[in-house]
Amino acid sequence: MTTEYNAVITEFDPIIGLETHIELGTKSKMFCSCSAQFGGEPNTFVCPVCLGMPGSMPVVNRVAVESTIRMGLALNCSIVPWCRFARKNYFYPDMPKNYQISQYDEPLCINGYLDVTVATENGPQVFRVEIERVHMEEDTGKLLHAGGAGRIHGATHSLVDYNRAGIPLIEVVTKPILGTGVLAPEVAKAYVAELRDLMRALGVSDVRMEEGSLRCDVNVSLSRPGEEWGTRTETKNVNSLRSVERAVRTEMIRQADRLRAGERIIQETRHFNEETGDTTSGRSKEQAEDYRYFPEPDLVPIAPSEAWIEELRGTLPEIPSVRRARLQIDWGISDFDMQSLVNAGALELIVASIDAGVQPAAARKWWTGELTRVANERHCELGDLTVNASDIFEIEGLISAGDLTDKMARSVFEGLLDGEGSVSQIVSQRGLVVVNDDASLIAAIATALADSPDIAEKIQGGKIAAAGSIVGAVMKATQGQADAAKVRTLLLEQLGVTE
Ligand code: ADP
Ligand code: MG
Ligand code: ZN
């Protein structure tokens, strides 16, 4: 933690608020039967409804409503007995109707909470994040700005793709989160991670931040203790967990600088710059925009019956925090170890490896050790590495059969990550064979002893630690392909030394 950040905390209390947009993984769009698939040739998943043609009529996607109710229930919300869609009127070229069908003052789910855990020096700390509302809306299309390095600034022209227009989008809005203090950035990140895991467990979305199916707006304000709440800024479309944390932190530092200089914070949207970690000014929100909301006349209200809600409640999965507690007991690991593997994004990968037949301890070892190291080195997420559960199962099988050493296993991983082929191809291409036969090991030991004549005497004189240098020399001579423990045993045998 920087001294700059610590100084903010000694003077100010942060308040954060998160608005998360989740694209549902339904087959079809929110109000028409077009495919809601990601990608596709531009403007191929479109029809008169999602292109906003005059006279076309929207029809609500039942699965989208069910998914929203399940999300609300999983977030401990009340499901309202009756609500309507509203038209939010504004013009933007990625939105062909010139209004977005959304929910305004009648959201489907209200007043819930999500408990999130943050690791602190004194162990895990739980924060209850209160949920204001969960509402349905539709996504907009996508603009591509050409000729200006992808940015609107300096672009020569813009292209529009309406494939995304009308994909069901659920917005989850928190109440202002107070009392997080120094942990504000971590709480924000932990909340988004927990929400993502919960949505994944519900199976309502693939929640891929990098593909934009989960996007987050980060609200931050500062005030001095005892003062009224400060003015918030809203950093838009932050698209990774790490960026959520960084956006809160940089925004706190920036606002503190302004406030100390006697300036006021302008209520505005801001953009997060992934490269620099800075936020820059976007659109002012000092004047509330007039969206001329009114109830959508082309859609009937939604009035979920008690029976339907209870039926959906019956489909809720084990929630991630309960599942984590269960796995932690199964694996016999500490709170700290569980928290760190969750933070590293390793939990699901470990579970998948265990499901593929790998022993829990080995699965944990590879994902939190070698593979985490490589992911950090390559600045990517663990899940982006080209290693899967069955690779680990295969590698572990070779290790337990004595055909690979740990060191060689790391070489196989390296090969997998560099796309050199399957585990068996890499083993043969890289010539990874354990030198196991006693004769060649004894020969290598003899050579090593001959190269350092004084060492044998030292070992025989009781300095067994000196054996390390001979083992090292043999490992080097066999290009790391010998089993070090075995070399050591043979060496001591040769010298007639017992431990
Ligand atoms: P908007 O439409 O302007 O984005 P929303 O009500 O959708 O407004 O979302 C506002 C978000 O900001 C909510 O998560 C809310 O809890 C949070 N928020 C409100 N006041 C503050 C504040 N003073 N500081 C930080 N966050 C705040
Ligand atoms: Mg907002
Ligand atoms: Zn359509």
Side-chain angles (χ1 to χ4, degrees), residues 428-443:
S428 73
Q429 277 157 22
R430 293 196 168 207
L432 301 171
V433 246
V434 176
V435 178
N436 230 343
D437 64 306
D438 292 6
S440 34
L441 290 179
I442 290 169

Side-chain angles (χ1 to χ4, degrees), residues 118-130:
V118 175
T120 73
E121 286 161 5
N122 308 320
Q125 195 174 333
V126 178
F127 288 87
R128 174 153 294 185
V129 175
E130 291 188 82

Side-chain angles (χ1 to χ4, degrees), residues 263-280:
E263 293 170 28
R264 67 183 189 94
I265 303 301
I266 300 167
Q267 188 171 348
E268 61 182 359
T269 66
R270 297 186 67 85
H271 302 295
F272 181 69
N273 184 324
E274 296 280 341
E275 254 109 75
T276 59
D278 291 340
T279 65
T280 49

Side-chain angles (χ1 to χ4, degrees), residues 19 21 24 30-31 60 64-69 71-72 78-89 99-110 132-139 169-173 291 293-296 299-304:
E19 299 163 72
H21 283 101
L24 295 183
M30 187 77 216
F31 302 114
V60 174
V65 177
E66 281 180 354
S67 298
T68 312
I69 294 176
M71 288 166 69
S78 311
I79 310 302
V80 301
W82 190 91
C83 65
R84 283 175 302 190
F85 284 99
R87 280 192 189 177
K88 180 179 183 180
N89 294 279
Y99 60 83
Q100 179 190 31
I101 303 179
S102 180
Q103 288 194 294
Y104 176 50
D105 48 359
E106 299 170 14
L108 182 55
C109 321
I110 53 172
E132 169 95 36
R133 62 173 197 268
V134 179
H135 76 240
M136 293 176 282
E137 54 190 44
E138 53 178 339
D139 212 343
L169 198 62
I170 308 306
E171 184 168 353
V172 180
V173 183
Y291 291 118
Y293 280 103
F294 62 86
E296 167 61 60
L299 289 167
V300 293
I302 297 175

Side-chain angles (χ1 to χ4, degrees), residues 454-464 466 492 494-497:
D454 51 325
I455 293 202
E457 244 171 75
K458 273 194 196 163
I459 299 172
Q460 281 164 328
K463 280 199 70 182
I464 293 184
L492 297 181
Q494 292 289 302
L495 297 175
V497 176

Side-chain angles (χ1 to χ4, degrees), residues 1-326:
M1 227 171 291
T2 62
T3 44
E4 209 182 358
Y5 179 75
N6 280 333
V8 176
I9 292 302
T10 54
E11 213 177 325
F12 300 97
D13 283 336
I15 299 180
I16 52 177
L18 295 146
E19 299 163 72
T20 312
H21 283 101
I22 297 158
E23 254 180 21
L24 295 183
T26 49
K27 283 208 184 67
S28 56
K29 291 188 180 179
M30 187 77 216
F31 302 114
C32 62
S33 56
C34 289
S35 168
Q37 213 176 302
F38 176 79
E41 276 293 297
N43 300 308
T44 52
F45 305 147
V46 291
C47 76
V49 174
C50 57
L51 287 177
M53 299 292 185
S56 62
M57 290 289 266
V59 177
V60 174
N61 182 330
R62 183 186 169 95
V63 177
V65 177
E66 281 180 354
S67 298
T68 312
I69 294 176
R70 293 176 70 236
M71 288 166 69
L73 292 172
L75 289 166
N76 307 291
C77 289
S78 311
I79 310 302
V80 301
W82 190 91
C83 65
R84 283 175 302 190
F85 284 99
R87 280 192 189 177
K88 180 179 183 180
N89 294 279
Y90 67 98
F91 172 76
Y92 204 71
D94 62 6
M95 204 184 49
K97 293 197 292 283
N98 288 346
Y99 60 83
Q100 179 190 31
I101 303 179
S102 180
Q103 288 194 294
Y104 176 50
D105 48 359
E106 299 170 14
L108 182 55
C109 321
I110 53 172
N111 296 334
Y113 64 86
L114 179 64
D115 287 336
V116 306
T117 309
V118 175
T120 73
E121 286 161 5
N122 308 320
Q125 195 174 333
V126 178
F127 288 87
R128 174 153 294 185
V129 175
E130 291 188 82
I131 307 292
E132 169 95 36
R133 62 173 197 268
V134 179
H135 76 240
M136 293 176 282
E137 54 190 44
E138 53 178 339
D139 212 343
T140 56
K142 246 186 222 169
L143 288 174
L144 191 107
H145 305 294
R151 311 205 57 184
I152 196 161
H153 231 77
T156 53
H157 57 286
S158 298
L159 302 167
V160 65
D161 175 7
Y162 290 121
N163 282 355
R164 198 179 66 180
I167 290 186
L169 198 62
I170 308 306
E171 184 168 353
V172 180
V173 183
T174 70
K175 294 188 177 167
I177 309 168
L178 313 176
T180 55
V182 68
L183 295 173
E186 275 101 307
V187 172
K189 178 184 172 191
Y191 165 77
V192 179
E194 193 69 35
L195 184 64
R196 181 197 59 183
D197 292 349
L198 185 58
M199 295 305 124
R200 196 173 280 153
L202 286 168
V204 294
S205 167
D206 59 8
V207 282
R208 294 180 69 88
M209 292 189 87
E210 65 283 12
E211 284 180 4
S213 54
L214 188 153
R215 315 195 280 276
C216 196
D217 300 343
V218 177
N219 294 269
V220 177
S221 70
L222 293 183
S223 56
R224 291 191 172 83
E227 281 181 359
E228 272 178 41
W229 292 4
T231 304
R232 70 181 161 103
T233 59
E234 181 183 345
T235 304
K236 303 290 284 183
N237 292 332
V238 184
N239 61 7
S240 74
L241 292 177
R242 180 165 172 262
S243 299
V244 169
E245 181 179 349
R246 287 169 82 209
V248 174
R249 197 181 299 274
T250 27
E251 200 41 29
M252 284 169 64
I253 294 172
R254 189 193 67 84
Q255 291 186 12
D257 282 346
R258 293 287 179 288
L259 293 169
R260 286 195 199 104
E263 293 170 28
R264 67 183 189 94
I265 303 301
I266 300 167
Q267 188 171 348
E268 61 182 359
T269 66
R270 297 186 67 85
H271 302 295
F272 181 69
N273 184 324
E274 296 280 341
E275 254 109 75
T276 59
D278 291 340
T279 65
T280 49
S281 178
R283 170 168 57 91
S284 168
K285 278 203 168 183
E286 302 260 280
Q287 265 103 34
E289 252 176 280
D290 183 5
Y291 291 118
R292 293 171 294 124
Y293 280 103
F294 62 86
E296 167 61 60
D298 289 343
L299 289 167
V300 293
I302 297 175
S305 68
E306 274 299 318
W308 190 28
I309 294 172
E310 287 320 306
E311 188 190 319
L312 292 171
R313 197 190 298 279
T315 69
L316 297 186
E318 180 181 35
I319 65 166
S321 53
V322 172
R323 174 168 170 261
R324 276 199 307 271
R326 176 173 59 77

